[in-house]
């Protein structure tokens, strides 16, 4: 079984992942093009670049975590974060499936040249660092986003996610914030 996949197609492919248009301009210039001929060739190529990406669900792994590293200190003397992160086989299978689907799609539409990123790229949504749950031993906050260890501390945001899906987390964060609002107001009245 593979995880859920979400495919994105964007017309800004010239800007990612190989450094185009700079890398394209460099290749064309090294091929001898200059001036108006270089400009025309660059426009012709970059206007045909697209980005196709696959986003995959990831299961929670107990080994994935953010802790503090007492051996690496900030200038303030506080420990720096230490990030432990790896993909599981479930996610690896999904990424392999996405690669196969990309290649099939490219073949069907007649793409002559394409490039795959060899490693997974994060979407930049940091989630799961203060996991939600009922058990203090395995989670940081309860379903109202109240910290188990501190009754007057609420952690509202994607940190409470126990796992990450294929979609942007914004609407879920908003829903969690609305859920937490009553508990925060009650805590303020106490």
């Amino acid at each position: 079984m593979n995880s859920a996949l979400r495919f994105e197609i964007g017309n800004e492919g010239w800007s990612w992942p190989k450094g185009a248009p700079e890398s394209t301009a460099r290749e064309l210039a090294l091929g001898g093009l200059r001036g108006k001929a270089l400009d025309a060739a660059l426009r012709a190529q970059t206007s045909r670049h697209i980005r196709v990406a696959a986003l995959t669900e990831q299961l929670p792994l107990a080994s994935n975590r953010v802790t503090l590293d007492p051996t690496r200190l900030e200038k303030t003397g506080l420990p720096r974060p230490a990030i432990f992160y790896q993909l599981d086989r479930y996610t690896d299978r999904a990424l392999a499936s996405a690669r196969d689907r990309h290649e099939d799609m490219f073949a069907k539409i007649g793409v002559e040249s394409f490039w795959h990123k060899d490693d997974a790229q994060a979407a930049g949504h940091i989630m799961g660092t203060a996991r939600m749950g009922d058990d203090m031993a395995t989670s940081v906050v309860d379903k109202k986003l109240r910290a188990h260890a501190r009754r007057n501390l609420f952690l509202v945001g994607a940190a409470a996610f126990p796992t990450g899906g294929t979609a942007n987390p914004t609407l879920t964060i908003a829903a969690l914030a609305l859920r937490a609002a009553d508990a925060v107001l009650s805590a303020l009245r106490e």
Side-chain angles (χ1 to χ4, degrees):
M1 186 166 117
N2 289 337
S3 79
L5 289 172
R6 183 182 96 190
F7 291 94
E8 291 182 349
I9 299 174
N11 67 351
E12 80 288 3
W14 53 267
S15 69
W16 185 84
K18 290 182 69 173
E22 291 87 359
S23 60
T24 306
R26 185 173 34 260
E27 290 169 14
L28 293 170
L30 289 172
L33 293 179
R34 300 287 186 272
K36 289 183 180 180
L38 174 61
D39 184 56
L42 186 59
R43 288 174 189 269
Q45 282 198 26
T46 58
S47 67
R48 289 164 176 77
H49 290 187
I50 63 167
R51 175 188 53 84
V52 179
L55 289 79
T56 179
E57 173 187 42
Q58 295 179 53
L59 296 178
L61 292 176
S63 58
N64 289 346
R65 63 195 177 283
V66 178
T67 62
L68 296 175
D69 185 346
T71 65
R72 297 180 61 224
L73 302 178
E74 297 283 348
K75 290 179 182 179
T76 61
L78 296 172
R80 289 185 176 195
I83 300 170
F84 301 91
Y85 180 75
Q86 64 184 18
L87 298 177
D88 60 358
R89 287 182 296 181
Y90 178 73
T91 304
D92 284 337
R93 285 193 310 268
L95 293 171
S97 175
R99 183 183 204 106
D100 292 343
R101 290 178 188 191
H102 285 163
E103 290 176 4
D104 183 52
M105 178 183 62
F106 295 154
K108 286 180 179 175
I109 63 173
V111 171
E112 296 174 8
S113 175
F114 61 89
W115 182 76
H116 281 289
K117 186 84 172 141
D118 290 332
D119 58 345
Q121 298 292 298
H125 303 130
I126 300 171
M127 299 185 276
T129 54
R131 187 178 201 176
M132 181 192 318
D134 294 326
D135 183 358
M136 186 176 188
T138 59
S139 63
V140 177
V141 298
D142 65 16
K143 66 183 178 182
K144 299 288 187 178
L145 304 181
R146 183 190 301 261
H148 294 302
R150 300 282 184 261
R151 297 284 304 154
N152 65 342
L153 176 63
F154 292 84
L155 302 172
V156 180
F161 288 21
T163 187
T166 62
N168 293 346
T170 308
L171 293 177
T172 307
I173 293 168
L176 289 172
L178 291 171
R179 179 195 287 177
D182 287 337
V184 171
L185 288 172
S186 293
L188 289 172
R189 292 184 189 115
E190 291 175 8

